Amino acid sequence: MKNAAALAAVTPVTRDRYVDLLRVLSLGVVVLGHWLMAVVVTGADGSVRTTNLLAIEPALQPLTWLLQVMPVFFLVGGFSHATAWASIERRGGGYADFARSRAGRLLRPTAVFAGVWLVLALCVELLGADHGILKLATRLVAQPLWFVGVYLGIVALAPAMLRLHRWSGRWAPAVPVAFGVAAGLVDVLRFAHAVPYIGFLNLAFVWLGVHQVGFLYADGHFRGPRVPAALFATGLVGTVLCTTVGPYPTSMVGMPGEKVSNMSPPTFALVMCAVSLIGLTMLLRGPVTRWLARPAVWRGVVAANGLAMTAFLWHLTAMFLATAATMALGFAGPAVGSAGWWLLRPVWLGVLVLLTAALVAAFRGADRPRATTVGSRRDGFAVAGMVLCTVGVLGFSAVGFGGLLAGRTATLIVLPVTPLLSALLVGAGAALLRVTRGPAS
């Protein structure tokens, strides 16, 4: 906290503090949502599986229109990448410098997380305990890495997208609109014509479109209330129409048993939800920015930013530790969604906060920023490294960490992946990015 206070004290007056708050809040809402929504269920035969509170209480699903905040994180990413690229350009750097510095902030804590879990999963398998809650944990703790993998892909494409943004000039706002239209056309081909695999194109169209809006934010758009209010209203109406008249489910997160998920792959309904969230976020910018001018508030945001990614990576580990402990003690608890269950939520969340804080204290060192060197011209190595890291991290999210000896596999779109292959891809990609450090000889 002392370091956070020092950083807060030297914050330039030109810094957009709202961006830092949005980064923390978006990751924090994801963590809180997982803790509240994920429910571990034990079957009559002793099998263990997870379900979702929103599947048990479907009336709560419209809340995801507000709480599905990943679009906000990608919006912030666009803003941050625009400012980071401008800084690297001023210092004479290029693509390799940008990719290495931005990816490093994600890869270091992710590599530590994956390494620890690979060792734990191997020990579980060697001890013959790869079943029940432990088997479930070795698979599900890796699922949030989909976000890290997709974001790495966005980092890899950010300089090219910035060139497109600058080239578009006064028509730059049309670029994210075009991405949104493309996402809608993909859904037409997916739902009306059953074109296989085409839905995965929306991983690019949806998230790049939101990321492109971040460039507009960095350029000074959304200063007045008129455009944000129009975005909020349009997005809200569009979300209602998509989920009532259209073929989309109500929830903006995946539900057990549903044939269509608005998140995996993203749909046009998520585009509309993102539009409403962006509008709401920009409407709140003025009053919240004034609140962030308070020294104590800003110190808290700075401190939280230094811990957010580590907490995001380890929060499901904390949840499975607490769940395993309650199962070992034979505590079944009230029925999910009952009054007693809701009354216990503050206690449950308090336990998870404490466990996550302990994990953050143990692993936060990997989340510390490093100085960015410039001057490398090994862009080819950087591109290859980004591709390998992106595929490797997404591979972990698909297959998990367990089953190393048993040869557990999963399919990443069309690519068969294993935990070992995913680790090798990330390791090779990180090595290629490291080769780009410093000026080329």
Side-chain angles (χ1 to χ4, degrees):
M1 192 68 184
K2 184 178 179 180
N3 186 47
L7 289 173
V10 296
T11 301
V13 294
T14 55
R15 187 177 184 90
D16 191 319
R17 301 184 179 197
Y18 191 45
V19 167
D20 296 281
L21 177 67
L22 291 177
R23 184 183 297 110
V24 170
L25 283 181
S26 55
L27 290 177
V29 170
V30 171
V31 169
L32 182 62
H34 285 167
W35 284 347
L36 286 174
M37 291 189 300
V39 179
V40 178
V41 179
T42 304
D45 59 351
S47 62
V48 180
R49 62 182 178 87
T50 57
T51 186
N52 195 306
L53 168 67
L54 299 179
I56 299 170
E57 299 287 346
L60 298 176
Q61 291 184 15
L63 291 176
T64 61
W65 300 358
L66 179 64
L67 300 178
Q68 175 47 278
V69 291
M70 280 294 101
V72 176
F73 193 92
F74 283 90
L75 169 76
V76 169
F79 180 100
S80 299
H81 293 157
T83 54
W85 179 251
S87 173
I88 286 174
E89 280 186 318
R90 285 194 300 271
R91 290 182 287 156
Y95 179 87
D97 305 309
F98 175 86
R100 184 184 64 254
S101 62
R102 302 306 294 181
R105 288 295 306 272
L106 294 171
L107 287 173
R108 283 188 293 271
T110 300
V112 170
F113 171 72
V116 170
W117 262 106
L118 284 170
V119 171
L120 289 174
L122 182 60
C123 292
V124 166
E125 197 171 5
L126 289 171
L127 293 171
D130 191 22
H131 54 80
I133 187 69
L134 292 180
K135 182 176 182 179
L136 194 66
T138 60
R139 181 167 55 86
L140 293 186
V141 294
Q143 283 191 352
L145 291 180
W146 76 263
F147 152 72
V148 179
V150 171
Y151 197 80
L152 283 170
I154 297 294
V155 169
L157 294 170
M161 293 297 100
L162 266 165
R163 283 194 289 272
L164 173 61
H165 172 77
R166 292 172 178 175
W167 175 82
S168 302
R170 61 180 293 192
W171 299 104
V175 177
V177 173
F179 277 119
V181 171
L185 292 175
V186 164
D187 279 3
V188 170
L189 295 174
R190 176 185 175 190
F191 295 118
H193 301 284
V195 177
Y197 300 112
I198 196 166
F200 290 103
L201 287 175
N202 276 351
L203 285 169
F205 290 145
V206 173
W207 298 124
L208 281 174
V210 175
H211 185 258
Q212 210 76 9
V213 178
F215 298 159
L216 296 173
Y217 179 15
D219 283 350
H221 290 260
F222 312 116
R223 293 192 183 278
R226 183 176 300 176
V227 172
L231 290 174
F232 174 66
T234 302
L236 183 59
V237 171
T239 304
V240 171
L241 291 175
C242 284
T243 56
T244 54
V245 180
Y248 305 100
T250 301
S251 174
M252 292 299 147
V253 299
M255 288 291 105
E258 284 194 330
K259 294 181 180 180
V260 176
S261 164
N262 282 317
M263 274 294 293
S264 182
T267 65
F268 186 72
L270 185 63
V271 172
M272 290 290 95
C273 184
V275 169
S276 67
L277 281 172
I278 291 169
L280 179 61
T281 299
M282 292 298 102
L283 280 172
L284 296 174
R285 180 172 177 250
V288 175
T289 298
R290 289 190 289 273
W291 177 66
L292 289 170
R294 300 179 182 181
V297 174
W298 179 235
R299 283 196 299 271
V301 172
V302 172
N305 255 298
L307 310 174
M309 182 54 67
T310 302
F312 171 79
L313 290 169
W314 290 95
H315 76 281
L316 287 185
T317 302
M319 190 189 77
F320 275 105
L321 284 172
T323 301
T326 58
M327 292 176 68
L329 294 171
F331 179 71
V336 177
S338 66
W341 186 86
W342 281 108
L343 286 172
L344 282 176
R345 287 313 87 192
V347 177
W348 176 246
L349 293 177
V351 170
L352 296 184
V353 166
L354 290 175
L355 288 173
T356 302
L359 291 167
V360 167
F363 299 110
R364 62 177 295 186
D367 202 10
R368 292 187 178 126
R370 311 287 173 87
T372 302
T373 58
V374 298
S376 172
R377 292 296 179 264
R378 299 186 177 101
D379 292 353
F381 286 98
V383 171
M386 291 301 296
V387 171
L388 292 176
C389 287
T390 298
V391 176
V393 173
L394 288 174
F396 275 132
S397 74
V399 73
F401 300 114
L404 280 165
L405 301 179
R408 182 186 298 172
T409 63
T411 301
L412 179 63
I413 306 179
V414 296
L415 176 68
V417 290
T418 66
L420 180 58
L421 175 62
S422 299
L424 291 174
L425 289 172
V426 173
L432 286 173
L433 287 171
R434 189 173 182 82
V435 165
T436 69
R437 185 181 298 277
S441 58

